[in-house]
């Protein structure tokens, strides 16, 4: 009934994931490929965590 009050850990991870991808895009456009690679790797790890959380919820 009051499910909208429950914290959704995946929501916070999704927000961080999108921020990392945006930072990576800006790094790539500026020619900083090393930072781009690091940020996309972090974003990929977060995506795997999100995927795992979504699978455990169902």
């Amino acid at each position: 009934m009051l499910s909208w009050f429950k914290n959704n850990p995946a929501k916070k991870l999704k927000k961080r994931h999108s921020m990392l991808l945006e930072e990576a895009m800006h790094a790539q456009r500026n020619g900083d490929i090393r930072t781009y690679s690091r940020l996309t790797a972090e974003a990929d790890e977060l995506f795997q965590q999100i995927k795992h959380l979504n699978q455990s919820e169902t």
Side-chain angles (χ1 to χ4, degrees):
M1 181 175 162
L2 297 174
S3 63
W4 62 84
F5 288 122
K6 293 182 182 179
N7 288 336
N8 185 358
K11 185 177 180 181
K12 187 175 181 180
L13 291 175
K14 287 179 186 178
K15 185 175 180 178
R16 177 73 179 140
H17 177 257
S18 66
M19 288 176 59
L20 281 172
L21 288 177
E22 187 174 345
E23 288 178 31
M25 176 195 64
H26 290 296
Q28 184 183 30
R29 286 186 177 178
N30 290 330
D32 191 359
I33 302 303
R34 184 170 293 166
T35 303
Y36 167 76
S37 298
R38 182 181 52 82
L39 291 172
T40 52
E42 287 180 35
D44 188 46
E45 289 175 17
L46 278 178
F47 180 73
Q48 296 302 321
Q49 290 177 3
I50 293 167
K51 207 162 93 172
H52 179 70
L53 283 172
N54 288 338
Q55 288 176 351
S56 64
E57 288 179 357
T58 57

